[in-house]
């Protein structure tokens, strides 16, 4: 069924992103640059797939070694964000999707994962879990007052209180801004309920800074009071879809409602620049984070997470090794 597999060119990748209305920033080559800066050992293994019937699909895919390099682990795009294949037609058959799913299997594959964006249900022949994100639908011509009417009373009051407290939001443009945000992120991570499996190095935010200078797809909103950084909200956009990927705040910032002002500023900016969806992203089951996002009037929406099991050869190797030498 598959006629050809080749690494995608920058031009073909851009074409797929423009043709597929479900595309998100996480399915662009810009996000791959961010992933490669994470220091987690990922390598680009993306493919452009040509089918014999003329259909074409671009498969974002990263790999990293497993079992001391004997196997490969695949993920559509880490760390668990939307990475489903992009298609120049939404009329692909189940056979097309199953053929794509086989690109995440193999004798030397340890395991793999693919995450759909909301609104694009696909079936790749793997176990499909259902996760949930939080989407705020935006309408053309919405004013700030219109947005306020959709917020919960507490969030609306928090934004207005922050402004009365002399807090102001501004768009980050300099390396120093992104470096300061990274330092605040490290402080924020120390307070999280669950320690993340990966703490992003400063290189990630330097790449995002470079991308912000060259495209409107990366927007970091910072909230300060009298020059002191209190909170930030990092938004990534592709087409008419904006996604709130990352946020951070200081202790004084939380007391002054700086986080609410940062996210509100990002929503207002996205709405004013023509986005019709502001995705506040999944919350890893953290009730406090879910409540924060719901306060902006976001609705909970499902999406699929496809988890491919470890290959039989990988399972066999793990079973043969002594317990003290089990592979990761």
């Amino acid at each position: 069924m598959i006629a050809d597999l080749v690494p995608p060119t920058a031009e073909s990748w851009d074409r797929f992103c423009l043709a597929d209305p479900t595309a998100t920033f996480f399915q662009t080559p810009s996000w791959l640059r961010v992933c490669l800066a994470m220091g987690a050992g990922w390598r680009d293994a993306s493919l452009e797939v040509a089918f014999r019937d003329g259909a074409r699909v671009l498969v974002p895919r990263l790999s990293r070694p497993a079992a001391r390099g004997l196997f490969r682990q695949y993920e559509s795009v880490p760390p668990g964000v939307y990475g489903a294949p992009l298609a120049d037609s939404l009329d692909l058959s189940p056979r097309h999707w199953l053929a794509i799913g086989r690109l995440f299997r193999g004798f030397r594959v340890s395991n793999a994962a693919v995450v759909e964006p909301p609104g694009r249900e696909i079936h790749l022949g793997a176990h499909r879990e259902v996760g949930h994100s939080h989407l705020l639908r935006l309408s053309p011509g919405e004013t700030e007052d219109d947005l306020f009417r959709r917020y919960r009373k507490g969030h609306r009051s928090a934004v207005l209180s922050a402004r009365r407290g002399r807090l102001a939001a501004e768009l980050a443009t300099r390396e120093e801004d992104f470096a300061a945000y990274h330092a605040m992120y490290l402080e924020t991570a120390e307070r999280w309920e669950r320690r993340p499996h990966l703490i992003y190095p400063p290189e990630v935010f330097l790449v995002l800074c470079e991308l912000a200078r060259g495209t409107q797809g990366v927007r970091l909103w910072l909230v300060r009071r009298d020059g002191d950084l209190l909170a930030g909200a990092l938004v990534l956009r592709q087409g008419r879809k904006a996604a709130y990927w990352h946020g951070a705040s200081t202790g004084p910032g939380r007391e002054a409602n700086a986080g609410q002002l940062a996210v509100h500023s990002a929503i207002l900016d996205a709405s004013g620049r023509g986005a019709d969806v502001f995705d506040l992203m999944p919350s890893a089951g953290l009730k406090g984070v879910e409540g924060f996002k719901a306060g902006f009037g976001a609705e909970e929406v499902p999406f699929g997470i496809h988890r491919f099991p470890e290959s039989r050869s990988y399972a066999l190797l793990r079973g043969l090794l002594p317990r003290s030498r089990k592979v990761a």
Side-chain angles (χ1 to χ4, degrees):
M1 189 174 187
I2 291 178
D4 196 18
L5 294 170
V6 296
T9 64
E11 293 76 15
S12 66
W13 205 313
D14 287 341
R15 185 178 69 250
F16 276 99
C17 287
L18 290 173
D20 193 327
T22 68
T24 68
F25 187 90
F26 306 108
Q27 294 155 280
T28 68
S30 293
W31 182 250
L32 259 65
R33 285 189 57 195
V34 176
C35 293
L36 298 180
M38 291 178 181
W42 293 105
R43 294 289 182 269
D44 185 12
S46 302
L47 292 168
E48 184 174 349
V49 183
F51 291 93
R52 292 192 182 94
D53 61 6
R56 303 188 74 88
V57 175
L58 191 143
V59 182
R61 192 181 66 161
L62 278 83
S63 72
R64 63 180 173 183
R68 303 176 180 89
L70 298 174
F71 289 80
R72 307 296 298 177
Q73 174 191 358
Y74 285 116
E75 191 164 342
S76 50
V77 284
V81 292
Y82 311 133
L86 299 168
D88 54 13
S89 169
L90 297 183
D91 297 326
L92 296 179
S93 71
R95 291 181 64 212
H96 288 107
W97 291 117
L98 290 175
I100 293 167
R102 286 194 284 273
L103 300 176
F104 291 88
R105 300 179 183 271
F107 179 80
R108 295 189 61 187
V109 176
S110 60
N111 60 293
V114 177
V115 181
E116 305 167 6
R120 182 65 177 280
E121 183 174 335
I122 59 177
H123 295 276
L124 299 172
H127 174 66
R128 182 178 181 273
E129 302 173 5
V130 177
H132 292 87
S133 189
H134 306 79
L135 263 59
L136 179 63
R137 313 283 183 180
L138 302 174
S139 301
E142 273 191 303
T143 66
E144 183 174 51
D145 286 341
D146 293 329
L147 290 172
F148 277 152
R149 280 191 282 272
R150 299 169 65 183
Y151 293 178
R152 289 179 181 170
K153 181 179 179 181
H155 274 44
R156 184 169 59 248
S157 299
V159 172
L160 297 175
S161 173
R163 286 177 174 169
R164 288 194 299 270
R166 306 190 320 280
L167 276 66
E170 62 182 13
L171 195 61
T173 58
R174 305 169 301 163
E175 281 190 12
E176 305 94 280
D177 295 330
F178 282 79
Y181 177 82
H182 177 257
M184 182 170 59
Y185 150 64
L186 294 179
E187 176 191 333
T188 303
E190 292 295 327
R191 303 190 311 265
W192 285 345
E193 297 176 36
R194 281 201 300 266
R195 184 75 174 174
H197 73 279
L198 176 64
I199 295 291
Y200 303 125
E203 288 79 9
V204 166
F205 297 93
L206 290 177
V207 170
L208 287 164
C209 178
E210 184 180 339
L211 291 171
R213 290 171 174 171
T215 176
Q216 295 294 299
V218 177
R219 311 276 279 184
L220 173 60
W221 286 92
L222 299 177
V223 173
R224 290 187 168 93
R225 178 171 56 196
D226 300 330
D228 294 331
L229 181 59
L230 299 178
L234 182 59
V235 174
L236 307 174
R237 176 170 170 168
Q238 169 63 32
R240 300 175 70 85
K241 300 181 187 304
Y244 168 46
W245 175 62
H246 208 270
S249 62
T250 65
R254 293 193 307 281
E255 294 175 3
N257 301 311
Q260 287 92 331
L261 179 58
V263 176
H264 170 70
S265 301
I267 294 172
L268 192 62
D269 174 61
S271 178
R273 295 191 304 118
D276 55 20
V277 169
F278 190 90
D279 190 342
L280 286 100
M281 303 294 289
S283 303
L286 301 175
K287 296 301 181 183
V289 177
E290 291 176 354
F292 176 80
K293 294 176 179 180
F296 290 100
E299 61 178 302
E300 189 175 81
V301 296
F303 63 90
I305 306 167
H306 303 255
R307 299 199 185 278
F308 294 80
E310 59 185 26
S311 64
R312 292 183 180 179
S313 53
Y314 181 72
L316 178 63
L317 176 63
R318 289 206 307 133
L320 291 175
L321 286 178
R323 182 175 299 274
S324 61
R325 297 178 56 210
K326 290 288 187 181
V327 297

